[in-house]
Amino acid sequence: MKRIGTPSICNICKENCGIQVQNTGHGLRITGNPDHPVSKGFLCIRGKNFGEIHASPHRLQEPLLKNGSGWQPISYDKALRLLADRFDGIRQKYGAESVVFYKGESLKHQEISQYFSHLARGFGTPNYISVGSLCHFAMTLGFTLTCGGIPAPDYSRIKSAIIWGANPAVSLARSSLELKQALKEGLKLVVVDPSVTRTAELADCHLAITPGTDGYLALAFIKYAVLNQHIHPSLKLGNGWDDLCNMISDISIQDLLKPARISEEGFLYAASLIFGHLPGWIQTGSGLELQPVGVQTVRAISSLLTILDPYAVTTPMSSRLSTLPGEDGYPAIQAEPIGKTELPLFEASLGQGQGMLLPKAILQDDPYPVRAMMVIGGNPLMTFPGTPIYRQAFKKLDFLAVFDLFMTPTAQIADLVLPAATFLENLELIDYGRGGKPYLGLIRPVADTGFGWPAWKLIFRLADAFGLKNLFPWRDNKEAIKHRLSPGTITFDNLMESPSSTVVYTPEPRMPGQWNTPDKKVNYFSSLVEKTGNFPLPVMESFRLPHSPDDMFPFWLSTGDRVPSYQHSQFRESLTCKADFPKPVLDMHPEAASRLGIVHDEKVRLSTRDGRIDLPVRLTQEVRHDCLRLAHGWVEANANELTCPEYLDPLSGFPWMRALPARVERVAGQ
């Protein structure tokens, strides 16, 4: 492969693959960059076709102010003055805590997240909230409480892996190439998932577990390790090791396997693969955290990880960057973030409010009134559980502003909509250290439509409108990045001159086996969890779901299936991606469908205790007889009409979106 076009970095997902962008005169040609040290030329279907998003005729092109039932174009200056005046008036009347700053998935989690959080704190609100309210941070919390963090895979060391509730062959396509190469070199792989995913097809052993019972299986593996003396002596010095052993001493492996409905033969084969090829690694996914028992389940799995690899490194890498100016001059916060009282460990770990509790604050003034909200790069009306509840809440706000590429369902109910630029028009730093790779990268502007502003520009200009220019004293993000790079040896010019748009850095030394906890020990027993009134050990009682399937709702439903074409509710505007997956479907096993007289592609009614939607069925043997599966993000068949923010994880506040009891019926008249 040879280099063609301008190098930059894709910002669709956290893989951040290297790209080359060329304007052919008939549109943008986006290809993988063979010089990129991490992705090495790889690029997924979404990255290759992002030019269709960039050039979409449906993109927002100017600020719009709601005028009755329609929209009135206004200038950026008027839009910013209006937003600043409305937010300031609401702050004076109800307090700064009544204003929420929300950042969604499409603007990712690094530099823009820091900028937007910085602006929120400077404004005086404790309520900076992100997609972390229902993505990834329940896993982070579970691992952090136990062993200090989530280790990245070190394929030079590990000899086995468990992929648990994740499907990296789809959700992390570039990383899955490293996994496939490791498999060729002898890595043993066990996949734990109710469905036969693309990743499960690669596995030496697939455990098709009953949804929501992962914690029991994790304890079964721990019990096996204790019985067969696979315990490194150092682990016995961990906090609560004896408590963990005593807790499982009277429970048989057979009793732990019953809820999971895993055969003892299948379990023993998986255990022999893993414990016969140590050290091992575990990758967990959102299938575990999006249920009311998520953190305790992850704590059990992270406890197992410490047994599989007593020398795992859980300290993340990071490059040296300067802090943002003005952090020492934030105004005094007059109220706690939403959710801190109920979920102190989530707030302490993430430093944010919990978006699942927003309806209570908006509709019931609990714990205080929330009256205004700024959403950048997010579509919470589609991605949050219980769409009807959030629609009611957002409509009650005194003022809602949305910054996005398209007129999303969330934007449609806003008072003010501001057009965003794509990442192809943006300038932003990316640190690959979180994924275990010591590289700094630079997303650079490689194309321009003039339709919208990059996120940094909106934030800088908003700060100016709020009278907070001291927080962002630069003319543009180029100056800001130069300032942030000043403590280290990498310069802005180094990044611009790099053919991969990346530069390697030397990370701080990370000692294997030095757990990233305050006392450098594994916390099998967590006193922090105990203080919240929850079980300090991941005991069997902590894995029980509020409801299980019954005669009325006999199936298990997963509402978050990942597909290659889409990124949550994004990419429906790409004709190529839409052609790859043109309509919402409900995956169902042929034998289960036959019992109900349902045939392939027939429209059915899918119901839970919280709602119902109609959509066609796709018959597939990838799902269990008692399971159903659908992707989210479809306006015409919105999975979050079936969920609600009522049953939340007591430690993270994450909602119940996987392992839901459900039923399927034929639609009358078909």
Side-chain angles (χ1 to χ4, degrees):
M1 296 176 68
K2 70 175 184 176
R3 185 153 47 90
I4 302 172
T6 306
S8 187
I9 295 170
C10 180
N11 203 22
I12 294 168
C13 76
K14 67 179 183 179
E15 296 275 67
N16 295 126
C17 295
I19 58 174
Q20 304 169 118
V21 183
Q22 182 184 27
N23 192 331
T24 66
H26 303 285
L28 297 179
R29 181 182 180 219
I30 304 175
T31 56
N33 187 345
D35 291 327
H36 194 276
V38 178
S39 58
K40 301 175 182 177
F42 174 82
L43 195 60
C44 74
I45 181 176
R46 293 165 299 184
K48 291 175 182 176
N49 292 287
F50 192 79
E52 296 180 357
I53 299 295
H54 180 77
S56 171
H58 303 296
R59 278 187 61 181
L60 293 164
Q61 299 186 21
E62 57 188 341
L64 298 171
L65 178 66
K66 186 162 284 180
N67 183 10
S69 59
W71 294 95
Q72 171 189 345
I74 61 172
S75 69
Y76 280 98
D77 286 342
K78 287 183 179 179
L80 290 175
R81 283 200 300 270
L82 172 65
L83 193 155
D85 288 345
R86 294 301 302 272
F87 274 26
D88 187 56
I90 290 167
R91 173 173 56 182
Q92 291 185 34
K93 185 174 182 180
Y94 297 102
E97 66 273 11
S98 65
V99 179
V100 170
F101 290 68
Y102 176 80
K103 189 196 74 66
E105 168 72 13
S106 67
L107 290 174
K108 306 278 85 62
H109 313 297
Q110 294 200 16
E111 187 174 65
I112 297 305
S113 180
Q114 295 173 44
Y115 284 179
F116 204 39
S117 174
H118 189 47
L119 178 64
R121 292 296 305 275
F123 181 83
T125 180
N127 288 317
Y128 170 70
I129 295 175
S130 79
V131 71
S133 288
L134 75 167
C135 182
H136 188 67
F137 282 100
M139 281 190 293
T140 300
L141 179 58
F143 274 93
T144 300
L145 287 168
T146 306
C147 57
I150 303 175
D154 182 353
Y155 291 115
S156 68
R157 294 181 55 251
I158 62 172
K159 299 177 181 178
S160 61
I162 307 176
I163 307 295
W164 206 318
N167 187 14
V170 170
S171 60
L172 298 171
R174 191 270 304 160
S175 294
S176 70
L177 296 180
E178 297 180 35
L179 173 64
K180 291 174 184 177
Q181 182 59 39
L183 291 172
K184 290 179 182 179
E185 295 172 2
L187 182 84
K188 301 301 179 183
L189 177 63
V190 173
V191 169
V192 181
D193 199 291
S195 297
V196 182
T197 63
R198 290 192 183 183
T199 308
E201 292 172 350
L202 304 173
D204 299 285
C205 177
H206 173 212
L207 298 178
I209 191 171
T210 298
T213 62
D214 307 85
Y216 301 102
L217 180 59
L219 291 185
F221 278 122
I222 294 173
K223 176 84 174 183
Y224 178 95
V226 172
L227 290 176
N228 292 277
Q229 301 180 355
H230 291 296
I231 308 302
H232 191 276
S234 66
L235 299 179
K236 298 178 181 180
L237 301 176
N239 296 316
W241 173 257
D242 290 340
D243 297 300
L244 179 64
C245 291
N246 290 335
M247 184 263 288
I248 61 174
S249 62
D250 295 329
I251 310 171
S252 68
I253 287 177
Q254 293 77 10
D255 286 341
L256 290 166
L257 294 179
K258 283 178 184 176
R261 296 183 186 175
I262 298 295
S263 71
E264 188 171 356
E265 180 183 8
F267 168 78
L268 291 175
Y269 176 57
S272 67
L273 282 175
I274 295 298
F275 290 102
H277 298 85
L278 295 176
W281 170 70
I282 303 177
Q283 178 181 350
T284 53
S286 58
L288 300 173
E289 61 180 356
L290 288 171
Q291 47 186 302
V293 298
V295 174
Q296 293 285 39
T297 295
V298 172
R299 288 187 64 221
I301 292 171
S302 56
S303 297
L304 172 62
L305 170 74
T306 66
I307 296 171
L308 300 183
D309 188 1
Y311 296 103
V313 176
T314 57
T315 306
M317 296 180 185
S318 62
S319 60
R320 293 183 62 197
L321 297 174
S322 67
T323 58
L324 293 172
E327 289 183 353
D328 55 352
Y330 289 146
I333 300 296
Q334 301 299 319
E336 301 286 2
I338 291 171
K340 181 173 182 178
T341 300
E342 300 93 334
L343 305 160
L345 294 182
F346 173 82
E347 190 277 334
S349 174
L350 190 55
Q352 298 180 12
Q354 174 47 273
M356 298 305 100
L357 300 180
L358 272 174
K360 286 175 60 179
I362 299 171
L363 298 173
Q364 303 172 31
D365 294 349
D366 181 9
Y368 44 71
V370 164
R371 292 292 182 264
M373 189 168 173
M374 175 76 195
V375 176
I376 68 171
N379 189 10
L381 196 63
M382 289 293 296
T383 54
F384 278 19
T387 295
I389 297 172
Y390 278 92
R391 184 181 292 111
Q392 180 187 2
F394 291 165
K395 285 185 174 180
K396 189 186 174 186
L397 290 168
D398 292 352
F399 196 77
L400 173 62
V402 171
F403 174 73
D404 214 315
L405 293 170
F406 299 99
M407 185 61 80
T408 65
T410 305
Q412 289 171 15
I413 63 172
D415 300 288
L416 176 67
V417 177
L418 296 152
T422 70
F423 75 83
L424 298 176
E425 304 162 279
N426 197 12
L427 185 69
E428 183 179 356
L429 277 179
I430 293 291
D431 190 341
Y432 290 84
R434 297 180 184 183
K437 311 288 186 182
Y439 295 95
L440 262 187
L442 185 68
I443 297 171
R444 64 176 79 176
V446 292
D448 184 24
T449 60
F451 287 169
W453 283 0
W456 65 260
K457 184 174 181 179
L458 173 75
I459 293 170
F460 286 18
R461 291 290 300 275
L462 270 177
D464 202 9
F466 290 146
L468 299 171
K469 189 171 179 59
N470 63 304
L471 302 183
F472 304 97
W474 311 288
R475 288 176 299 176
D476 54 34
N477 207 29
K478 180 178 178 179
E479 287 188 359
I481 289 172
K482 287 183 175 181
H483 167 78
R484 302 207 69 207
L485 291 171
S486 59
T489 58
I490 298 173
T491 68
F492 182 85
D493 289 341
N494 293 153
L495 291 164
M496 286 294 292
E497 292 164 3
S498 166
S500 65
S501 210
T502 64
V503 176
V504 67
Y505 62 81
T506 302
E508 296 293 324
R510 305 186 304 161
M511 296 298 294
Q514 292 289 308
W515 306 104
N516 192 32
T517 55
D519 61 2
K520 306 300 181 185
K521 295 182 179 181
V522 181
N523 292 304
Y524 302 105
F525 181 106
S526 173
S527 58
L528 292 175
V529 172
E530 185 178 39
K531 289 177 181 176
T532 68
N534 290 282
F535 293 105
L537 289 167
V539 298
M540 291 179 68
E541 292 87 340
S542 65
F543 306 142
R544 295 200 176 112
L545 293 169
H547 306 292
S548 294
D550 54 24
D551 291 341
M552 182 67 71
F553 299 98
F555 291 97
W556 295 100
L557 169 68
S558 167
T559 68
D561 185 37
R562 298 289 181 88
V563 296
S565 313
Y566 302 123
Q567 182 78 354
H568 303 296
S569 63
Q570 303 166 61
F571 278 82
R572 269 73 178 180
E573 295 82 6
S574 164
L575 295 179
T576 302
C577 292
K578 191 70 179 283
D580 187 64
F581 202 115
K583 64 181 181 180
V585 292
L586 176 68
D587 286 339
M588 188 176 189
H589 194 280
E591 292 182 15
S594 178
R595 290 196 300 268
L596 297 175
I598 294 170
V599 298
H600 179 73
D601 209 34
E602 178 181 353
K603 182 172 281 190
V604 297
R605 180 153 296 153
L606 172 64
S607 305
T608 66
R609 287 177 170 84
D610 298 299
R612 67 186 189 185
I613 59 174
D614 293 350
L615 75 169
V617 159
R618 178 174 63 184
L619 301 184
T620 173
Q621 298 198 26
E622 292 178 357
V623 296
R624 291 171 35 139
H625 294 70
D626 57 350
C627 291
L628 305 166
R629 184 179 69 180
L630 79 157
H632 64 300
W634 294 96
V635 174
E636 58 267 46
N638 179 9
N640 282 318
E641 299 281 349
L642 306 170
T643 59
C644 78
E646 178 181 357
Y647 298 104
L648 303 178
D649 184 287
L651 295 171
S652 68
F654 271 42
W656 195 6
M657 303 172 86
R658 306 288 174 93
L660 290 163
R663 71 169 177 265
V664 181
E665 305 165 281
R666 302 187 71 194
V667 176
Q670 287 212 109

